[in-house]
Amino acid sequence: MAVRLHHVVVDAHDLPGLARFWAQVLGWRVLSERVREVVIGPDVSAPIGMCFMPVPETKTIKNRVHLDLTTGADDRDAEIERLLRLGARRVNIGQTGEESWTVLADPEGNEFCVVRPKSTLID
């Protein structure tokens, strides 16, 4: 059997706080909460989730891997506003302003993008 993706792991200072942020962003729930590991996902049988692990240092440079989130074209701006209310913030990583995505960061500074719907990429 080939390997498959199990978790996206995120280094964090405030594991429960960052896990709750991402659970709210994705409409997921906390599946397991331990002192050194918090796991979230849509449900316990889901093939992939996110795991938050402690680190002593703070984030200092741009992520080399990031998440791209998408939503319907009609509600994209409203969804970005919802993410900002949850604690995300806009960040500039060198965008020109012409991009079809919006770059945000979670409360601990991890960048992620809200991109146009995949159906619009195929056309």
Side-chain angles (χ1 to χ4, degrees):
M1 178 166 100
V3 298
R4 46 180 202 258
L5 187 59
H6 179 66
H7 285 145
V8 173
V9 178
V10 179
D11 292 345
H13 282 268
D14 177 6
L15 278 62
L18 200 57
R20 281 190 298 276
F21 168 82
W22 280 103
Q24 290 177 313
V25 165
L26 298 169
W28 290 2
R29 61 190 179 102
V30 174
L31 301 175
S32 172
E33 189 167 345
R34 298 185 176 124
V35 174
R36 299 190 50 77
E37 176 188 81
V38 179
V39 175
I40 68 169
D43 61 63
V44 294
S45 63
I48 187 170
M50 291 178 75
C51 180
F52 298 84
M53 303 291 291
V55 292
E57 67 277 354
T58 58
K59 182 180 172 302
T60 57
I61 59 171
K62 180 184 173 295
N63 292 6
R64 294 198 54 180
V65 175
H66 69 269
L67 301 178
D68 278 352
L69 309 178
T70 192
T71 187
D74 295 340
D75 61 354
R76 186 171 175 271
D77 291 340
E79 186 61 17
I80 289 169
E81 290 304 315
R82 182 184 76 87
L83 299 174
L84 293 170
R85 285 191 304 276
L86 289 175
R89 62 184 169 80
R90 294 179 186 273
V91 293
N92 184 338
I93 57 167
Q95 303 94 295
T96 66
E98 300 298 317
E99 292 81 7
S100 62
W101 61 86
T102 300
V103 182
L104 302 175
D106 70 17
E108 293 201 13
N110 300 299
E111 298 94 2
F112 64 96
C113 295
V114 180
V115 302
R116 66 185 191 205
K118 189 177 283 191
S119 61
T120 65
L121 299 174
I122 297 168
D123 297 333

